[in-house]
Amino acid sequence: MGSGPSGAAMKLVAAVMTFLSMVVFLGYMMIWSMKSTNTFYLHWWPDVLKKTSSTYLGEQGTTTLIYAFPILFIATIGSLYLHLEKKYDHDHSTRFISRIILLKRPVITKGPLGIVSWTELTFLAMFVALLVWSMYSYTHNMFAFAALEAAQEKFQVWEVKLRGAALSLGLAGNACLAFLFFPVTRGSSILQFVGLTSEASIKYHIWLGNITMVIFTAHGLSYITYWSHTHQISQMLKWDKFMVSNVAGEIALLAGLVMCLYVMFVIFYVFHVGFAESCLILPGFYLFLIDRYLRSLQSQQKVRSVAARILPCETVELNFSKNSELSYAPTSIAFINVPSISRIQWHPFTVTSNSNMDSDKLSIVIKREGSWSHKLYQILSSPSTNRLEVAIEGPYGPPSTNFTRYERLVLVSGGSGITPFISIIREIIFKCNTTSSKTPRIHLICAFKKYVDLTMLDLLLPVSGTTLDLSRLLLQIEAYITRETQSKTENQNSIRTILFRPHQSDRPVSAVLGPNSWLWLGAIISSSFIIFLILIGLLTRFYIYPIDHNTNMKHPVPASSAFNMLFVCIAITIAASAAFLWNKGENAKESSQIRTTDMSTPAPSPTSLVSETELESLPHQSLRQATTVHLGQRPNLKKILSEYKEEKVGVYVSGPRKMRQEVAAICSSSADNLHFESISFSW
């Protein structure tokens, strides 16, 4: 367990946190499932409103308590859990999700969502059930009195039902919107608490966004049709000060259809329904705003580019100076911006270095494919290049990985999908040199299009000069060249290295919230929410309440909504900026030391930049000897994986979608000894 609390104590704390979070989440989902029923609106809601409404928070205090507080509470608990796990649980023995391997096994391998694990399917099923139930319940309750309302209002029954269906669509769409921003919160404590990452969950954001806009578009068109048939088309221009604002809803819908205008969409959505009602979607967007603001703070700093290595296969390895306290798990991803190419484009790339082995360096690998990477390759190929200005967000990834729980690792990659496995192999090298426990044997199966792509294997091992014994690594490599039948040895070793000149303004890559980032994130979530409650409490008690006395019919709702949105931004800015500035001061101490070392060392001239840091071979068996090359063939994955029947095998795949689905299908239909996991990669 490492220093600190005992293993038994940590397991107890982890169990309590997990149980408490599950109870709160189930209660939160129960409220959502009951929200569409008459029991909620006629009995539960009036009673809760009566007990919780106050002169300080009003009705929005009740909605904040019911809809926003539970998720923010779970996010805070999750941050504390991840902090304790990172600090004390070096063997990851308390990891709740990691112990339940079944939840990570693929249950669906083909379909529009790709590979879906039991964990993802559980949340997916809960969401679909909630959406279907909400739509049915809202519609059923509204249709029940359609005939009576039609008689009273002198409309046709179908027109009243159309109006009810339109309202039902809007209310049900809130369920989609409430969960829309969770997958795109890159540093989310909630996702990582349940064993997911933003990179793997982004597909759900895309699907949720599409479903949300389909539902809201149908909601808007239904109302327009209803207004048209009942001669109320002027309602489209209505901006009510105390009820629903139709104009704001129309603007929100148009902004949502444009997709990139998500901020405008949320702002006018709040104007459309009022801030009290928008508390339904507040927690997801609130956590996203915190994450987005922290990312913007980190991205303002240009990082120290150390060197670049250009491989014959038109692949580039970029190396950056790193704060020694910055740690990340293998398979993490960093977002890169190169202002000389584009100031607005950010591209994700897999981090190939290992924070345990490469304490002062962070590396990424970029394949020359696409216009952006083509421009980067041209810049680095220029003989006059001696500095590369880069900004970085991240790294992001799983909070921890425990490969040593397996007897063998089978790593399956296609093309540039090999990049995540570079950090995994380096992690195993570090483990087998620093721990007494047995480390897994590694079977790397990699497929490339061309023979020259084999030079990417040279990136698997650390640079020469490492004090670790590489002979302890039990590595077997099978490389498949799919489009060539003859070996081509020319220029295979012509790796060119560029050393960049240091610049006074550059800084080493560091975590935006320092080494205790999860603890700081939990503090930001909780403290910013408290600041927000204080601000709206003061506004309500001393300005709004004296005007309307909680009637919501005298003080304009749009004005209150604007104040609340402003207070959300102010609260997040205060809390996140304070945490950032504190950690920036701590990071500056090590940055100054690194800068002093860099500036005191003369930079080599561009003409003398030769390949000085070739990768070291295994002492007792070279990397070439460990590699079997199959020309003109594709790997028979079913045959290879079927050979492992007795061992406990971790099967990790990174590559094209078809390859990942094939491996997932093999593992899901095999014995329980094959544990599958798909690795997200970017290059």
Side-chain angles (χ1 to χ4, degrees):
M1 293 298 296
S3 62
S6 65
M10 278 299 301
K11 289 181 180 180
L12 178 61
V13 171
V16 171
M17 288 183 174
T18 303
F19 177 76
L20 183 59
S21 299
M22 290 179 62
V23 170
V24 173
F25 178 73
L26 291 176
Y28 175 77
M29 293 303 295
M30 183 192 70
I31 292 174
W32 266 99
S33 63
M34 292 298 297
K35 185 180 181 299
S36 59
T37 65
N38 287 331
T39 301
F40 181 86
Y41 274 107
L42 298 179
H43 302 286
W44 289 17
W45 176 250
D47 188 48
V48 173
L49 188 62
K50 181 179 178 181
K51 294 180 179 179
T52 58
S53 182
S54 68
T55 58
Y56 284 92
L57 299 178
E59 181 181 343
Q60 73 181 41
T62 305
T63 54
T64 301
L65 173 67
I66 293 177
Y67 298 109
F69 175 76
I71 295 300
L72 298 182
F73 175 79
I74 293 174
T76 303
I77 290 293
S79 298
L80 180 59
Y81 181 102
L82 294 169
H83 169 74
L84 294 175
E85 179 191 55
K86 179 180 178 180
K87 189 171 184 180
Y88 299 116
D89 188 20
H90 302 295
D91 295 327
H92 315 298
S93 56
T94 66
R95 186 72 182 164
F96 179 73
I97 294 297
S98 294
R99 289 184 299 171
I100 307 180
I101 301 298
L102 177 63
L103 295 179
K104 285 194 171 185
R105 288 181 64 86
V107 60
I108 299 175
T109 58
K110 294 183 179 180
L113 290 176
I115 301 170
V116 179
S117 67
W118 280 107
T119 301
E120 295 171 295
L121 184 63
T122 300
F123 287 106
L124 184 62
M126 293 174 66
F127 169 76
V128 172
L130 173 63
L131 184 61
V132 172
W133 163 251
S134 298
M135 191 64 207
Y136 165 78
S137 183
Y138 282 129
T139 305
H140 178 269
N141 292 333
M142 292 182 183
F143 282 12
F145 302 98
L148 179 61
E149 292 178 14
Q152 292 175 344
E153 301 176 14
K154 297 182 180 180
F155 291 152
Q156 297 184 41
V157 175
W158 74 267
E159 292 173 335
V160 175
K161 287 187 175 181
L162 177 61
R163 182 182 64 189
L167 180 57
S168 298
L169 285 166
L171 294 173
N174 288 335
C176 298
L177 199 55
F179 298 99
L180 179 62
F181 290 96
F182 286 105
V184 288
T185 305
R186 296 175 188 167
S188 172
S189 57
I190 291 181
L191 286 180
Q192 299 202 15
F193 188 30
V194 298
L196 301 175
T197 63
S198 176
E199 293 76 25
S201 305
I202 195 69
K203 58 186 177 184
Y204 297 109
H205 170 75
I206 297 172
W207 277 89
L208 274 173
N210 292 331
I211 294 173
T212 300
M213 295 319 302
V214 168
I215 292 177
F216 282 158
T217 300
H219 162 71
L221 292 177
S222 297
Y223 263 115
I224 292 174
T225 304
Y226 165 74
W227 291 329
S228 177
H229 276 272
T230 56
H231 308 290
Q232 302 180 74
I233 200 66
S234 61
Q235 288 287 327
M236 291 185 64
L237 303 177
K238 180 181 178 182
W239 189 304
D240 198 295
K241 291 184 178 180
F242 308 109
M243 304 297 288
V244 172
S245 170
N246 297 332
V247 174
E250 293 153 9
I251 297 175
L253 178 60
L254 292 176
L257 291 173
V258 178
M259 289 300 186
C260 60
L261 304 177
Y262 65 88
V263 175
M264 183 179 293
F265 169 79
V266 173
I267 290 174
F268 282 96
Y269 170 85
V270 175
F271 282 138
H272 177 54
V273 301
F275 191 83
E277 186 68 18
S278 66
C279 284
L280 277 69
I281 72 152
L282 178 61
F285 191 66
Y286 192 94
L287 296 174
F288 171 76
L289 283 180
I290 292 176
D291 181 74
R292 188 66 190 87
Y293 182 64
L294 290 173
R295 284 160 45 195
S296 68
L297 291 175
Q298 186 184 30
S299 64
Q300 298 304 312
Q301 179 61 58
K302 298 301 182 289
V303 301
R304 163 79 166 93
S305 301
V306 177
R309 299 200 311 149
I310 303 178
L311 278 65
C313 57
E314 296 187 331
T315 298
V316 175
E317 181 192 59
L318 291 179
N319 298 280
F320 307 99
S321 175
K322 179 182 80 70
N323 190 308
S324 61
E325 293 187 337
L326 172 62
S327 62
Y328 47 85
T331 73
S332 293
I333 288 177
F335 285 75
I336 308 297
N337 172 262
V338 180
S340 59
I341 300 177
S342 173
R343 293 187 177 275
I344 61 173
Q345 291 187 38
W346 288 82
H347 295 269
F349 296 99
T350 301
V351 178
T352 54
S353 55
N354 181 271
S355 60
N356 289 321
M357 180 178 292
D358 309 302
S359 61
D360 59 350
K361 181 186 71 173
L362 184 145
S363 304
I364 61 171
V365 171
I366 303 174
K367 181 74 172 178
R368 184 186 178 185
E369 293 186 12
S371 59
W372 188 90
S373 57
H374 180 77
K375 292 177 182 177
L376 177 64
Y377 189 85
Q378 287 182 322
I379 291 174
L380 296 176
S381 299
S382 172
S384 61
T385 300
N386 57 20
R387 180 174 182 263
L388 184 66
E389 185 177 308
V390 177
I392 290 182
E393 290 181 3
Y396 306 101
S400 60
T401 51
N402 185 13
F403 305 110
T404 57
R405 67 176 179 264
Y406 299 113
E407 299 175 42
R408 181 183 293 270
L409 293 180
V410 177
L411 312 178
V412 183
S413 71
S416 297
I418 194 174
T419 52
F421 298 149
I422 297 174
S423 59
I424 291 178
I425 290 176
R426 294 189 181 185
E427 175 75 3
I428 300 301
I429 293 175
F430 177 81
K431 291 287 186 182
C432 66
N433 277 267
T434 57
T435 63
S436 57
S437 59
K438 184 179 180 181
T439 54
R441 301 174 64 90
I442 301 175
H443 185 182
L444 174 61
I445 304 166
C446 47
F448 301 108
K449 293 180 181 179
K450 300 179 180 180
Y451 192 86
V452 70
D453 293 334
L454 285 175
T455 53
M456 292 190 68
L457 295 177
D458 291 336
L459 301 175
L460 291 175
L461 301 180
V463 296
S464 59
T466 178
T467 58
L468 300 178
D469 184 1
L470 304 181
S471 65
R472 296 187 180 185
L473 179 67
L474 302 176
L475 175 64
Q476 174 191 358
I477 303 175
E478 288 192 68
Y480 292 81
I481 310 301
T482 60
R483 295 188 179 180
E484 294 180 351
T485 57
Q486 293 182 347
S487 61
K488 300 177 181 180
T489 57
E490 62 272 14
N491 298 324
Q492 290 295 291
N493 296 317
S494 58
I495 299 177
R496 188 166 66 91
T497 301
I498 302 174
L499 301 180
F500 296 119
R501 293 181 182 274
H503 193 274
Q504 188 175 5
S505 63
D506 293 342
R507 299 290 187 274
V509 182
S510 58
V512 65
L513 294 177
N516 297 318
S517 56
W518 288 120
L519 188 62
W520 279 106
L521 179 60
I524 291 172
I525 295 171
S526 56
S527 62
S528 64
F529 190 59
I530 292 173
I531 294 173
F532 168 67
L533 293 178
I534 292 174
L535 291 175
I536 63 173
L538 294 174
L539 177 72
T540 304
R541 177 62 184 87
F542 298 106
Y543 178 64
I544 297 178
Y545 181 79
I547 297 176
D548 68 4
H549 296 279
N550 284 345
T551 62
N552 296 323
M553 294 303 293
K554 292 185 178 181
H555 188 272
V557 172
S560 300
S561 299
F563 274 118
N564 280 277
M565 287 188 285
L566 176 63
F567 289 162
V568 166
C569 296
I570 291 175
I572 290 175
T573 301
I574 292 175
S577 297
F580 171 76
L581 292 174
W582 177 274
N583 285 283
K584 184 179 181 180
E586 296 296 316
N587 292 332
K589 298 176 182 178
E590 181 169 351
S591 299
S592 61
Q593 295 176 356
I594 295 175
R595 252 193 346 269
T596 302
T597 303
D598 290 339
M599 299 303 291
S600 62
T601 303
S605 62
T607 56
S608 66
L609 299 182
V610 294
S611 182
E612 300 175 327
T613 55
E614 294 302 319
L615 294 180
E616 185 177 46
S617 300
L618 288 169
H620 301 298
Q621 71 171 10
S622 67
L623 190 63
R624 303 286 183 186
Q625 291 174 331
T627 304
T628 302
V629 179
H630 305 270
L631 295 170
Q633 299 181 39
R634 297 181 181 274
N636 188 337
L637 298 174
K638 186 174 183 179
K639 180 181 179 182
I640 294 173
L641 293 176
S642 65
E643 297 176 358
Y644 301 109
K645 297 180 180 179
E646 303 297 332
E647 294 178 298
K648 185 178 180 182
V649 180
V651 182
Y652 293 80
V653 59
S654 174
R657 180 175 181 176
K658 185 177 180 181
M659 172 181 282
R660 289 185 280 117
Q661 290 179 332
E662 180 184 357
V663 177
I666 295 171
C667 292
S668 61
S669 61
S670 67
D672 292 338
N673 67 306
L674 295 182
H675 301 146
F676 170 85
E677 186 161 342
S678 178
I679 302 294
S680 300
F681 77 98
S682 300
W683 42 268

